[in-house]
Amino acid sequence: MERKIYVSSANRTLLFAAGELSSYICKMTGHKLPVERIKHIPKNPEGFRLCCNKLRPQNLQSDEFELEPRDNLLVLRGNRPRSCLYAVYAFLENNGVRFLRPGPDGEIIPRRKKLNMRLRLHEEASYDHRCICHEGATSIEHAVGMVDWMCKHRMNEFQMQFETSYPFWNRWYAQDGTIGFGAASAGETKKIKQHRNISLSRSKELDKTLISEIKLRDMDLHRMGHGWTCKSLGVMAKGWESTKVKVPPKKKSHLAMVNGKRQWYKGVPGNTELCYSNNDAFEGIVNSVVNYASKHPEADVLLFCTADEMNQWCECAKCRKLSPSDWYAKLLNAIADKLHANGLRTQVSFDAYLDVLQAPKNETIKDPHNKLIFMFSPFLRCYEHSLADPTCDEDYPVKRWPLNKVPTIVGNRAYVQLLRQWQAYIDTDSFLGVYSMYFMQNFALDELLTARRVFEDVADLSKLGFNGIFSCQPLRSFY
């Protein structure tokens, strides 16, 4: 009987996995195996069967797959479609294929006369969140290539910042450059000469293409992050650029009062906080998040961050009654309740970052419907040591810092103390936000130092109490 790849589902991720298996086997052996959709497995089949079902009833979330030989058939089974895709890549790796970096030039594909079909393998993810965030200057080929590489390394989540990834597309396409290494172009290069900013419609087209590739691989999509504050005022954040767009006159009272003034903070809408004691401003941002979730069902998780700038929370008398972290907690409770009330499956991740590194003092975060995911992001931490290294710096005095007087904290031991404050206060899913590939690769003379920090931080996740990692980094940071 002819060897075939049997797929018992019309699920597009399973069909994509079958196509990947057929394509790589052809590159290795010169023989292309046909893919056949079936309802029932034929008698005495030869080749591969891809199927999707729970391997263990108690495993409700973690990715899990197995390879099981049966006579002349190798069964590749996962507990969800992307896990079946992981099984395909595991089979290829066990036959000598290596995925070193994104794009065809980053792959090693050996020639083989015979493949090892007797593999017996079982893998389960140690952590549920394995995410990279879109940063840097990227073409669509770079971004798709990165998503493809992530999946080949069992990563399962991708974060697209802002309402559109405009700043990252624009940094690439608004200048002379060469594009085309990536998964979509198979190594072709094409010169572009463009000296003006791309349009928002073009940016959204690129977003749509990237989201399609993410969903093709059954990866979870995270959206937004910074930009919620100005979005609730009807102004889109296009990154961290200053703007000539004026604050809507009727919404000026919604802005945080800093040094006696209500205005865009340093001219940047996305870096501007709101006056959360103003009920209209409070309800406006809550409704903005819920409305976005309703209009974007493709988003599995929405990252709800405060403004991306330190020491500019509202100083009015009413806002001073609560700390920034307490206002953040009130917002999160309201958002989670309203998402549930509207029957939306979307989850919200929240970020202990900059002004909200300290846990709330008066407000309690309630999460009865499992809507919230905690992220701890020590942006200015030391990368000469792992985060869990107790020898890094000294203890940080456990005291409340005055409003808009957040100090610069570098030592990792102090950050872990702040983390423990949050963990004593909440009981939600969580992951660690890291910036080890955000700028470290530009300064480290020995790139192995950066690699070791990443390795150590991942190895310490369980000890630190995290269920995964979120890397905020330029996508082209290592090729």
Side-chain angles (χ1 to χ4, degrees), residues 371-391:
K371 286 292 183 185
L372 302 177
I373 306 171
F374 171 59
M375 176 163 67
F376 184 73
S377 298
F379 178 64
L380 298 175
R381 59 165 278 198
C382 169
Y383 281 99
E384 291 187 8
H385 303 85
S386 68
L387 182 60
D389 189 340
T391 67

Side-chain angles (χ1 to χ4, degrees), residues 81-205:
R82 71 174 175 230
S83 300
C84 293
L85 185 54
Y86 298 160
V88 167
Y89 296 135
F91 168 79
L92 295 172
E93 288 171 345
N94 277 273
N95 278 277
V97 177
R98 294 293 180 267
F99 307 108
L100 300 180
R101 59 184 181 273
D105 291 344
E107 298 178 352
I108 297 174
I109 306 174
R111 296 288 294 177
R112 290 280 190 265
K113 292 183 178 180
K114 187 177 181 181
L115 298 175
N116 182 1
M117 299 284 290
R118 306 305 299 169
L119 289 168
R120 188 175 295 276
L121 180 66
H122 176 268
E123 286 189 18
E124 181 182 347
S126 299
Y127 304 103
D128 292 329
H129 302 285
R130 308 176 302 280
C131 185
I132 287 179
C133 177
H134 192 181
E135 279 271 8
T138 57
S139 70
I140 187 62
E141 288 83 2
H142 292 133
V144 172
M146 186 63 162
V147 166
D148 183 66
W149 178 88
M150 288 172 63
C151 198
K152 287 169 177 171
H153 289 274
R154 327 295 197 259
M155 302 186 79
N156 66 331
E157 300 174 346
F158 191 83
Q159 164 80 28
M160 295 176 66
Q161 290 195 77
F162 302 107
E163 288 187 69
T164 171
S165 294
Y166 174 86
F168 317 116
W169 303 131
N170 193 60
R171 287 172 188 167
W172 180 265
Y173 289 114
Q175 61 181 340
D176 285 351
T178 302
I179 65 172
F181 84 86
S185 60
E188 285 188 9
T189 58
K190 179 171 64 175
K191 287 287 183 180
I192 58 170
K193 290 189 176 180
Q194 190 174 343
H195 300 278
R196 61 181 183 274
N197 293 337
I198 66 173
S199 65
L200 281 177
S201 60
R202 175 58 177 151
S203 179
K204 290 178 180 179
E205 288 174 7

Side-chain angles (χ1 to χ4, degrees), residues 321-323 325-326 329 359-365 400 425:
K321 293 178 180 179
L322 292 176
S323 71
S325 295
D326 286 305
K361 181 180 180 181
N362 299 308
E363 295 294 321
T364 300
I365 292 179
R400 293 278 160 180
Y425 170 83

Side-chain angles (χ1 to χ4, degrees), residues 61-63 82 86 125-132 150 154-158 220 222 300-301 347-349 372-375 428-433 458 461 465-471:
Q61 182 173 352
S62 299
D63 286 299
R82 71 174 175 230
Y86 298 160
S126 299
Y127 304 103
D128 292 329
H129 302 285
R130 308 176 302 280
C131 185
I132 287 179
M150 288 172 63
R154 327 295 197 259
M155 302 186 79
N156 66 331
E157 300 174 346
F158 191 83
D220 291 342
H222 294 222
D300 300 285
V301 179
Q347 290 187 289
V348 171
S349 57
L372 302 177
I373 306 171
F374 171 59
M375 176 163 67
T428 67
D429 196 5
S430 67
F431 49 82
L432 172 65
V458 171
L461 287 175
F466 292 114
N467 187 26
I469 197 164
F470 176 109
S471 178

